[in-house]
Amino acid sequence: MLDAINAGIDSLRAALRESKAVVALTGAGVSAESGIPTFRGAGGLWRSFRPEQLATPEAFARDPRLVWEWYDWRRGVICRAEPNPGHAALAEIERRKGGGFTVITQNVDGLHDRAGNRRLVKLHGDIWRTRCVECGTVTLNHDVPLTVIPPHCPCDGLLRPDVIWFGEALSALEWEGAVEAARHADLFMLIGTSAMVYPAAGLVELGHEAGARVAIINPETTPFSERAQWRLEGAAGEILPLLLESW
Ligand code: BV8
Ligand code: ZN
């Protein structure tokens, strides 16, 4: 088994080095080793709520305080977390491949930014930004805990987390950037995501149809595992640094 994983890592390392346009689509699994619960894993619950029950415009309209208490709790967990070796490896791959490497993330925790990735598409927004529901002003806010729940804008409008909730369209700018990167990829890495949330997961199909080879790094299988040339069944924080060795 170990030989098979090592052989996979050696061949993926070679592909990573020679590919001209690499895309890495990341999900909550990349932040798991930083101590941040994934959405669908064991720790994904908060006060017995599922994320899908709280990360919606309807939940926010019904009870903005409850939704903000959930985000305030998550912001507390995230601010005490550090980027893990998986994040660091993705930042080093960008340093080595420059314009030939783009991270598209579903995560809102900001750990790819803190690790140093700059060619970064944040599909689902950023937990450290707020947006006013009245005037639309977007502001960076790193208060942990939040001083007032729910927070308000100087215009007196209610502030919301500047993230994309279920049932909401992705920002056109981010989505177009992601589609462009996926369509031109010759290697598409799917890292730490159950690939169940659309339209993000659809990027894998776009890349594969455009001819990209697919690599999956995940302890579990995903709906795209059959289409992957590499299926490295392990933790991102362990496998990604191995791709950098003897580069
Ligand atoms: C849209 C931001 C249309 C918020 C998130 C019915 C009703 C309504 C909508 C739908 C519906 N059916 C389908 C939909 C569409 C819906 C959707 O896809 N639903 C899913 C549940 C089926 N999508 C949407 O609603 C999207 N919008 O469709 O709009 C539209 C169009 C035009 C006009 C108006 C509307 C918006 C989706 C975005 C939702 N927001 N997050 C926040 O974070 O607070 S999604 C949320 O899920 C997170 O972003 C998360 O990243 C993402 C995906 O989950 P994963 O990252 O994959 O995490 P998960 O826990 O699932 O998996 C972790 C994986 O890691 C596992 O595989 C595990 O094995 C692995 N792992 C664990 N440890 C490790 C590891 N891997 C590596 N190393 C480890 N150590
Ligand atoms: Zn305002």
Side-chain angles (χ1 to χ4, degrees), residues 26-33 37-41 51-52 55 70-71 74 105-108 123-125 127 163-170 191-199 217-222 234-237:
T26 67
V30 166
S31 296
E33 290 155 274
T38 63
F39 272 70
R40 289 162 193 88
E52 285 81 7
W70 178 48
Y71 279 92
R74 288 173 66 192
T105 190
Q106 299 170 90
N107 301 339
V108 298
L123 280 185
H124 295 158
I127 204 167
V163 299
I164 306 292
W165 281 327
F166 290 102
E168 292 187 318
L170 275 57
I191 310 172
T193 177
S194 58
M196 282 168 46
V197 171
Y198 281 78
I217 299 174
N218 191 325
E220 294 170 9
T221 57
T222 74

Side-chain angles (χ1 to χ4, degrees), residues 50-64 67 70-71 160-161 163-168:
R50 302 243 21 92
E52 285 81 7
Q53 291 173 285
L54 296 171
T56 71
E58 295 76 16
F60 187 71
R62 189 171 50 246
D63 191 343
V67 172
W70 178 48
Y71 279 92
R160 59 165 282 175
V163 299
I164 306 292
W165 281 327
F166 290 102
E168 292 187 318

Side-chain angles (χ1 to χ4, degrees), residues 169-185:
L170 275 57
S171 117
L173 191 64
E174 301 292 341
W175 179 243
E176 279 151 23
V179 167
E180 184 70 8
R183 282 221 170 100
H184 292 90

Side-chain angles (χ1 to χ4, degrees), residues 138-152:
V138 173
T139 312
L140 272 179
N141 174 315
H142 285 90
D143 296 346
V144 174
L146 284 165
T147 45
V148 177
I149 291 187
H152 281 79

Side-chain angles (χ1 to χ4, degrees), residues 131-137 152-159:
R131 174 159 40 94
C132 175
V133 301
E134 296 304 329
C135 69
T137 304
H152 281 79
C153 175
C155 83
D156 213 21
L158 187 57
L159 293 181

Side-chain angles (χ1 to χ4, degrees), residues 14-114:
L16 184 54
R17 288 188 56 187
E18 72 200 24
S19 295
K20 297 283 175 282
V22 183
V23 161
L25 175 62
T26 67
V30 166
S31 296
E33 290 155 274
S34 297
I36 298 172
T38 63
F39 272 70
R40 289 162 193 88
L45 278 177
W46 174 78
R47 291 190 203 165
S48 78
F49 288 101
R50 302 243 21 92
E52 285 81 7
Q53 291 173 285
L54 296 171
T56 71
E58 295 76 16
F60 187 71
R62 189 171 50 246
D63 191 343
R65 170 182 300 282
L66 176 69
V67 172
W68 265 116
E69 283 171 354
W70 178 48
Y71 279 92
D72 194 38
W73 172 77
R74 288 173 66 192
R75 289 159 51 110
V77 173
I78 292 165
C79 88
R80 286 186 286 278
E82 292 297 327
N84 64 61
H87 293 106
L90 290 169
E92 179 56 27
I93 292 171
E94 179 180 315
R95 272 189 287 278
R96 296 186 189 183
K97 293 200 69 79
F101 182 66
T102 304
V103 172
I104 301 171
T105 190
Q106 299 170 90
N107 301 339
V108 298
D109 57 32
L111 289 184
H112 286 306
D113 304 80
R114 285 173 56 192

